[in-house]
Amino acid sequence: MVRNQADAADRVDCGATEPGLRVCAAWAISKFEFRGKQFLITLIDLPFSVSPVVSGLVYVLIFGAQGWAGPWMAEHHIKIIFAVPGIVLATIFVTFPFIARELIPLMQEQGTDDEQAALSLGASGWQTFWHVTLPNIRWACSMACCSATHVQWANSARSAWSAATSAD
């Protein structure tokens, strides 16, 4: 049973987004050359250089009642700020670089020889990913998920402590 919004964010973030979007971004950066690669790397590194307070302000300015998307969201009864979706968005923003930055060097060092061999033997892209790439990165992916979860819990504990001490 979900006891509070932070618990819900823990379950949603670690269960749905860790293995998905973050691994895909690391895979694309490490295995391919494409236009916008440097921009994607910059987006991944952005949470390291922006304060969580500033990112929270940006979320309020975008999704708040008077924000850019606020009136449309109010019309459609969608609530992001001060609700579980807002916590999940903020958590994804803060923890995203930990996954990608741990996987990118590993995947670059492994190279593309195994994937190219699988493709030349007739494997599809998905088969190559599931049977060649993912087994090679599973332990790093597990450790990266643990690191991101640790950062998320530390931020939640810091917020709870701050709220408890400011109430006095």
Side-chain angles (χ1 to χ4, degrees):
M1 180 170 165
V2 178
R3 288 173 285 157
N4 57 34
Q5 291 180 347
D7 190 28
D10 290 346
R11 291 169 190 233
V12 170
D13 185 52
C14 204
T17 61
E18 299 290 350
L21 180 63
R22 300 162 197 205
V23 172
C24 290
W27 177 70
I29 288 170
S30 61
K31 303 290 183 178
F32 301 105
E33 291 298 323
F34 55 91
R35 181 179 294 174
K37 181 177 179 177
Q38 191 59 44
F39 181 70
L40 183 58
I41 292 171
T42 302
L43 285 178
I44 288 171
D45 290 339
L46 189 64
F48 284 140
S49 59
V50 175
S51 167
V53 173
V54 173
S55 65
L57 176 63
V58 169
Y59 284 134
V60 169
L61 292 174
I62 293 173
F63 300 116
Q66 303 298 320
W68 179 70
W72 181 86
M73 292 172 55
E75 286 177 19
H76 293 87
H77 306 289
I78 300 171
K79 188 168 175 113
I80 292 184
I81 299 297
F82 308 115
V84 173
I87 294 171
V88 171
L89 280 174
T91 302
I92 290 171
F93 178 78
V94 170
T95 60
F96 193 92
F98 292 95
I99 307 298
R101 280 294 169 197
E102 191 159 333
L103 293 178
I104 289 171
L106 172 69
M107 295 172 92
Q108 285 175 335
E109 187 64 30
Q110 288 176 342
T112 60
D113 294 341
D114 293 341
E115 285 93 349
Q116 289 177 358
L119 291 171
S120 68
L121 291 171
S124 69
W126 279 110
Q127 288 173 326
T128 302
F129 179 77
W130 285 105
H131 297 289
V132 177
T133 305
L134 197 58
N136 287 336
I137 64 168
R138 70 177 176 257
W139 296 114
C141 192
S142 297
M143 289 306 299
C145 185
C146 289
S147 297
T149 303
H150 171 74
V151 168
Q152 175 187 352
W153 288 347
N155 284 339
S156 297
R158 188 175 330 129
S159 297
W161 180 81
S162 178
T165 57
S166 65
D168 293 340

